[in-house]
Amino acid sequence: MWRPDGQACAADVDHDDLIPPVPAPRAQPLGLLALLRVLTRNPLEAWTAAHFEEPLVVGGLSVAPVAVVSDPAAVRRVLLENAGNYEKDWLQRRVLANGLTDGLLTAEGHQWRTQRRALAPLFARKTVQSFAPAMAAAADDLIERLARRDGQIVDLAVEATRVTLDVLERTIFSDGFGHDAEQIRLAMKTYFETIGAIDPFDVLGLPRFIPRPRRRRLRAALRLFDATIDAVISSRRRALSRGRDGIPSDILTLLLEAVDPQTGNALSERELRANILTFIAAGHETTANLITWSLYLLSRSRRWRARLQAEADREIRPGVDVVVDRLVETRAVLDEANRLYPPIAAISRQALADDVLAGVPIRRGTMIVIAPYVLHRHRKLWAKPEVFDPRRFLPGARETIDRFAYLPFGVGPRTCIGAAFALQEAAIVVAKVMRSFDLEEAPELAVEPVLKVTLRPRGGLPLRLRRR
Ligand code: HEM
C-alpha cells in the first residue's frame, strides 16, 4: 500500500521496480535553433531537470515568455480559480483550427459556455454507460482480429487506433456511414495524419497566407468529410421529423436534440459538424494511446498481467454485460499508464492580465504550460515517480493524490468532457484483451515515447500475442 506521505510500506519492497523508458531530462535549456529542431523531432526531449524539480520555470524569449507551472496551488489558480484570466493560447488554436473551429475544444467565451451546457448530457455517466454494449462489441471484433494472428507480432498501436475509431463510429453513428464508409475512413486517416504533425511554420508564428503544403491534402479530406457528415445529418433529421420511435439514441441524435438549458438554443449546422469532428479528433487517438501504453506496461510486468487476467476471468463472462466499476485493478493500470504517458502531455494557456503564480509575477501575454507529463513525474509530488506502480491508484491510496497533481484529463471548466467515455472504453478493451491473450514483449523492441500532438510510441507497438 501507499501511505499518504507517498512512501511504500515494508510489505511491498519486493515489488518489481519497472522503470519504463523516457528521454533523460537535459541539464541545461536548449538555444532557440536547437529547440525548434527538438520540438519538431520530439518535444519530450526539451524538458530539463529543473522542470521536474521546481514549482515554476520561466523560459521562452523576453518578448514571448513561457512559464511551466507544476505547483498544485498555481495549477488550481490557472485552470480553476482564475480560469477566466487564462485563454487557450494562439499556438494550440492554430494547430487545432482546421475543421475544429466552432467546436467545443477550440471555442472560447459565450460560444464555448453555451456549447458546454448543451453537450454535457451527451457525456453524462448514465449516457456513457449506455454506450458500454457498443464498446464491448468493438472490443470483441478486435479480439477476433487478433485471434486470427495468434502467435504473431502485431502492431498494437494500429489495432488500438482501429478499435477507438470503431467505438466512435458505433456510438456517434450507430447506423454507420453507409456506402461511403471506406472513403470516410481514408479521409479521417489523412486528416489525422496531417493535423498530427506540428508544422514548424505554426511554431514560428508565420501568417496563415503562407502556404503549408501538407494542408492541401487536409482540405481535400475535410471537404469529403463535411459532405458525408452533412448527408448523414440530413438523413437523421428527416427520420427524426417523422418521430422518435425506432431512432437510435446515439451521439448524433443526442447532438441534434441538444439545447443549452439556459437559452434554449440548439447548435448551428457549422457547430454540429465541428463537434462531430471534434469528438472524433479529441477522442480517438488519445484513447488509443491510453490503451496502447497500458498494454505496453502490462507486457513489461508479469505481476500486473497476472492480476488483470485474474480480474478479467472473474468479471467478464460471455453474454453478460461488463460492469466497468468492478474492473478495479484494470482501472488502476489505466490510471498509472495515464500518469506515466499522459496522451495530452501538455495543456497551454495565455495570460490575459498580470497575475502571480507560485509567488512569481506573471506578465500579461505569458504562455502558461501545465504539462501532465512533467507534473506526473515531478520529484516533489510523487514517490518514485519514474516507477510503474498501479498500487498508487487502488482504493485507499488514490484518495491521497492531490487533485491538482494528476491531470490526464485536465481540470476546471475546460476539463475533458469525454473522460468517463475514454476510461470506460479503455477498461473494456484492455480487460477483454487480457482475458483472451498473453502479451509478450518482443525482445528487439525499444520503445521510444514521442510527442506528436499526442504522446505515443514512435513507430508503433509491435508485440506478440498468444491466445490463453
Ligand atoms: C484518454 C483519452 C483522453 C485524454 C487523455 C483526454 C485529454 C483531454 C484534456 C487534457 C483536455 C483538456 C485540454 C485543456 O484544458 O486545454 C481535454 C478536453 C477535451 N476532450 Fe478529451 N481526452 C480524452 C478522451 C476524449 C474523448 C473520448 C472525447 C470525446 C468523445 C474527448 C473530448 C474532449 C473535448 C470536446 C474537450 C474540450 C472540452 C472543453 O474545452 O470544454 N476527449 N481532453
Side-chain angles (χ1 to χ4, degrees):
M1 279 294 286
W2 286 86
R3 299 195 315 238
D5 59 6
Q7 300 302 308
C9 296
D12 294 322
V13 278
D14 67 339
H15 210 269
D16 43 6
D17 269 2
L18 167 64
I19 300 186
V22 275
R26 292 179 180 278
Q28 295 297 326
L30 290 161
L32 181 63
L33 278 182
L35 180 64
L36 275 179
R37 234 188 350 260
V38 165
L39 287 180
T40 316
R41 204 191 100 75
N42 184 6
L44 291 186
E45 293 171 11
W47 297 115
T48 65
H51 289 112
F52 297 91
E53 281 156 18
E54 303 295 333
L56 190 145
V57 177
V58 179
L61 306 171
S62 59
V63 284
V66 176
V68 178
V69 176
S70 303
D71 169 53
V75 169
R76 183 191 178 104
R77 180 159 178 84
V78 174
L79 294 179
L80 184 68
E81 285 164 0
N82 198 20
N85 187 46
Y86 294 95
E87 266 197 346
K88 294 217 169 177
D89 63 285
W90 60 270
L91 175 60
Q92 187 181 167
R93 277 200 266 160
R94 179 168 284 193
V95 170
L96 293 177
N98 306 280
L100 304 181
T101 318
D102 294 322
L104 190 63
L105 193 62
T106 57
E108 284 287 356
H110 173 73
Q111 188 185 29
W112 170 77
R113 266 190 301 280
T114 183
Q115 282 197 24
R116 182 88 195 194
R117 286 192 297 259
L119 298 178
L122 275 69
F123 294 95
R125 191 176 150 83
K126 254 196 128 107
T127 321
V128 170
Q129 279 170 347
S130 75
F131 296 141
M135 293 171 175
D140 289 340
D141 281 1
L142 167 72
I143 304 297
E144 246 184 79
R145 277 198 304 277
L146 295 177
R148 287 200 288 273
R149 301 177 64 187
D150 190 13
Q152 297 172 24
I153 291 185
V154 178
D155 186 344
L156 285 178
V158 170
E159 289 301 334
T161 308
R162 243 176 116 171
V163 74
T164 52
L165 274 178
D166 192 7
V167 165
L168 285 164
E169 199 175 322
R170 287 169 194 255
T171 51
I172 301 179
F173 317 96
S174 51
D175 38 10
F177 289 126
H179 58 276
D180 288 330
E182 259 325 296
Q183 238 188 336
I184 277 285
R185 284 189 203 112
L186 194 69
M188 276 200 292
K189 193 163 168 279
T190 312
Y191 173 75
F192 292 122
E193 275 168 8
T194 319
I195 62 164
I198 294 180
D199 197 315
F201 284 17
D202 285 337
V203 178
L204 289 169
L206 297 189
R208 297 295 281 172
F209 62 77
I210 298 182
R212 277 102 168 133
R214 65 182 112 185
R215 304 268 170 222
R216 230 174 300 134
R217 270 184 344 129
L218 174 75
R219 274 197 296 275
L222 265 179
R223 271 196 300 276
L224 172 66
F225 195 81
D226 281 357
T228 314
I229 296 295
D230 285 352
V232 175
I233 290 179
S234 341
S235 121
R236 183 64 61 86
R237 271 204 205 289
R238 275 197 304 279
L240 275 167
S241 70
R242 292 192 290 271
R244 191 65 163 76
D245 272 3
I247 308 276
S249 283
D250 55 14
I251 292 181
L252 179 59
T253 297
L254 298 176
L255 201 52
L256 293 176
E257 291 178 340
V259 284
D260 173 1
Q262 277 187 23
T263 61
N265 292 341
L267 272 64
S268 71
E269 288 299 309
R270 260 180 83 88
E271 289 176 328
L272 280 175
R273 239 197 269 128
N275 275 303
I276 290 176
L277 199 53
T278 295
F279 298 155
I280 300 174
H284 96 286
E285 205 176 277
T286 45
T287 315
N289 289 339
L290 169 59
I291 294 169
T292 304
W293 287 119
S294 301
L295 293 176
Y296 167 67
L297 291 164
L298 285 165
S299 80
R300 301 283 315 273
S301 169
R302 183 179 312 185
R303 185 184 299 247
W304 282 93
R305 264 198 321 275
R307 287 177 77 151
L308 261 60
Q309 280 168 344
E311 182 172 80
D313 291 348
R314 205 170 54 240
E315 301 297 341
I316 299 188
R317 268 154 298 153
V320 180
D321 284 349
V322 186
V323 182
V324 178
D325 287 350
R326 296 174 65 100
L327 300 172
V328 177
E329 305 227 329
T330 307
R331 173 64 193 268
V333 168
L334 299 179
D335 290 337
E336 179 69 341
N338 258 340
R339 182 184 73 80
L340 287 165
Y341 297 113
I344 301 296
I347 296 170
S348 51
R349 297 287 190 269
Q350 201 157 1
L352 299 178
D354 294 354
D355 198 6
V356 176
L357 296 175
V360 178
I362 297 293
R363 284 208 323 265
R364 168 174 179 253
T366 303
M367 189 198 272
I368 307 293
V369 176
I370 294 168
Y373 178 81
V374 172
L375 201 61
H376 296 175
R377 292 170 174 272
H378 202 282
R379 316 243 164 279
K380 302 276 158 55
L381 302 174
W382 300 87
K384 293 196 187 172
E386 67 289 354
V387 173
F388 169 68
D389 191 348
R391 291 173 302 167
R392 305 172 201 269
F393 292 97
L394 287 176
R398 69 174 309 137
E399 296 76 7
T400 65
I401 296 170
D402 189 318
R403 177 67 193 92
F404 297 89
Y406 180 66
L407 304 179
F409 296 102
V411 71
R414 300 217 64 151
T415 190
C416 179
I417 202 167
F421 185 102
L423 287 168
Q424 175 175 296
E425 172 182 349
I428 292 174
V429 170
V430 169
K432 285 199 175 240
V433 170
M434 296 314 288
R435 185 172 183 277
S436 300
F437 296 97
D438 256 332
L439 294 168
E440 208 179 273
E441 191 184 354
E444 68 279 16
L445 184 68
V447 160
E448 182 193 349
V450 59
L451 184 60
K452 295 246 179 227
V453 180
T454 59
L455 181 59
R456 56 180 94 165
R458 193 191 289 282
L461 179 64
L463 282 183
R464 196 187 304 278
L465 290 145
R466 290 192 194 284
R467 260 206 104 99
R468 291 177 61 209

